Amino acid sequence: MGGAVSAGEDNDELIDNLKEAQYIRTELVEQAFRAVDRADYYLEEFRENAYKDLAWKHGNIHLSAPCIYSEVMEALDLQPGLSFLNLGSGTGYLSSMVGLILGPFGVNHGVELHPDVTEYAKQKLDFFIRTSDSFDRFDFCEPSFVTGNCLEIAPDCSQYDRVYCGAGVRREHEDYMKSLLKLTKITRTGPSAWETKKILAVSFAPLVQPPRCESGKSRLVHLPPPAVRSLQDLARIAIRAAVKRAIRQEAASGSVGGPRTTPRLKRRRVRRRRMETIVFLDKEVFASRISSPSEDSGCEGPDEEPREGEAPSPAEARPEPPVNLLREKVLGLPLPEPLKRYLLYHRDK
């Protein structure tokens, strides 16, 4: 599944295309998508394909198409403080975006079948925390990944506010998973009542059935217990929140200029491919056609026209890197250096 929107030249242009096609509809979801660069979750030799609206698979590593993830994020209706379980968490791309919305008091767990993919997700998460300025712009709920079969989750695990499973589930597991072969939103409306809403026609590979041990018993997957934050960690969260509030107040009063930006160039319009998609789900066939507006082959200039006889230089057209105001504020506080590094989560950047 994929190919519903044109490819982007970078992460922002991909998000622009998803917004234009109404796959991304809310500001919260848009912010999360822009904050996590999809290319960072690709292997280096495949990064040129990161901004296409296509799924990617290499060995056990798999990423769904951006249009699928955007529909998932919108359907989950995420809010700060909720608990989230990602069944088949893969690279951790979706879990990282979810964590930006859940905030420091949410719960963010993932179960992945393949140990090598779990390790890959942990490496990508570490890279995001160490290098991305988005970590400082948001209050992040760090995902925890465990290896195992999601059909063998221990019965004593906590229930979650939101659960996502990106795979097909056999009928005998419906009561266990409450999932179908289509991307579906299921909401509990009572102790034994459920409301089901079909979100998007899509075909997922079925879940891998758990093997049996020699003893005949399955290997239970134990999810992390609810974490209780230390007073020191709570103080760090509170101080960072207070600094962010001060930055916003200063920006509103004009005391600080905010992140440095330049006039945004209008994106090149790319011809939408007229495509027909046929998806086989169970014994039904769903066909959809996505048509596109006409091509505008020109590359438009900046929003503000340059004065006659004056051409913008390459340096003027190139956006300056954004300023991490939180980091600058913390480094300017009259505090011991070890405490500053603690407030910045010991991030080098």
Side-chain angles (χ1 to χ4, degrees):
M1 183 71 183
V5 302
S6 296
E9 294 183 2
D10 55 25
N11 195 66
D12 277 331
E13 187 167 346
L14 173 63
I15 307 312
D16 290 343
N17 294 340
L18 290 168
K19 281 189 62 182
E20 183 180 352
Q22 288 295 301
Y23 283 100
I24 293 177
R25 299 178 290 277
T26 59
E27 183 178 356
L28 206 58
V29 171
E30 178 187 351
Q31 290 175 351
F33 266 86
R34 293 195 189 278
V36 182
D37 195 323
R38 181 176 168 88
D40 289 341
Y41 291 80
Y42 275 66
L43 293 170
E44 188 63 35
E45 59 268 34
F46 299 103
R47 283 177 66 96
E48 70 272 11
N49 298 318
Y51 306 123
K52 298 177 181 177
D53 187 33
L54 296 172
W56 172 66
K57 182 174 175 61
H58 181 78
N60 292 327
I61 302 172
H62 176 263
L63 275 168
S64 293
C67 66
I68 299 296
Y69 284 131
S70 54
E71 285 286 1
V72 168
M73 290 283 286
E74 292 287 357
L76 286 171
D77 190 23
L78 297 165
Q79 302 294 332
L82 296 182
S83 56
F84 171 71
L85 176 61
N86 189 354
L87 301 177
S89 49
T91 64
Y93 172 64
L94 175 64
S95 294
S96 293
M97 290 192 292
V98 168
L100 295 174
I101 298 177
L102 296 183
F105 303 111
V107 175
N108 194 357
H109 293 163
V111 179
E112 169 55 42
L113 180 65
H114 304 288
D116 59 324
V117 181
T118 303
E119 183 58 31
Y120 184 87
K122 291 178 179 179
Q123 292 173 3
K124 294 301 180 182
L125 174 63
D126 179 66
F127 179 80
F128 172 77
I129 292 175
R130 286 188 297 105
T131 66
S132 176
D133 281 340
S134 298
F135 182 82
D136 284 334
R137 293 202 306 272
F138 293 80
D139 294 317
F140 188 49
C141 180
E142 185 175 333
S144 296
F145 302 113
V146 299
T147 302
N149 192 302
C150 64
L151 293 174
E152 297 180 306
I153 294 176
D156 59 348
C157 80
S158 301
Q159 289 185 309
Y160 292 81
D161 298 309
R162 303 287 188 270
V163 179
Y164 171 67
C165 178
V169 180
R170 295 180 181 178
R171 289 194 178 277
E172 59 264 32
H173 298 298
E174 283 186 2
D175 289 338
Y176 172 83
M177 196 74 69
K178 284 291 181 183
S179 180
L180 300 173
L181 289 176
K182 301 171 206 166
L183 185 57
T184 305
K185 180 178 180 179
I186 300 177
T187 305
R188 184 189 291 272
T189 58
S192 59
W194 304 83
E195 178 184 83
T196 302
K197 179 182 178 182
K198 296 174 183 176
I199 302 299
L200 190 66
V202 57
S203 180
F204 285 122
L207 286 170
V208 175
Q209 300 303 299
R212 293 288 174 179
C213 302
E214 295 180 359
S215 62
K217 297 181 179 180
S218 62
R219 303 179 181 88
L220 292 180
V221 177
H222 294 278
L223 294 167
V228 178
R229 292 187 178 273
S230 67
L231 182 59
Q232 186 179 31
D233 195 20
L234 291 172
R236 172 168 58 182
I237 292 170
I239 292 172
R240 285 170 63 94
V243 173
K244 290 178 184 178
R245 284 196 301 271
I247 292 172
R248 288 194 295 268
Q249 290 171 359
E250 290 175 0
S253 65
S255 302
V256 295
R260 291 191 300 264
T261 58
T262 57
R264 184 168 180 172
L265 298 179
K266 294 182 180 178
R267 300 287 187 184
R268 178 191 298 272
R269 292 188 178 273
V270 183
R271 178 188 293 275
R272 297 283 194 273
R273 295 185 299 278
R274 177 179 293 277
M275 58 170 260
E276 293 183 354
T277 302
I278 300 177
V279 182
F280 293 87
L281 300 176
D282 203 0
K283 295 183 180 179
E284 302 179 51
V285 178
F286 294 82
S288 63
R289 171 175 293 178
I290 301 175
S291 58
S292 62
S294 59
E295 176 186 15
D296 179 1
S297 59
C299 181
E300 300 180 7
D303 292 339
E304 296 183 3
E305 294 292 336
R307 291 191 296 270
E308 185 177 354
E310 180 182 345
S313 66
E316 292 173 341
R318 187 183 305 117
E320 296 182 29
V323 177
N324 188 328
L325 294 176
L326 175 69
R327 184 178 183 84
E328 288 192 349
K329 278 285 188 182
V330 170
L331 291 177
L333 293 175
L335 298 172
E337 286 302 317
L339 181 52
K340 293 180 184 180
R341 288 187 58 79
Y342 178 75
L343 290 174
L344 295 171
Y345 286 85
H346 301 279
R347 298 171 71 237
D348 294 331
K349 185 178 178 182

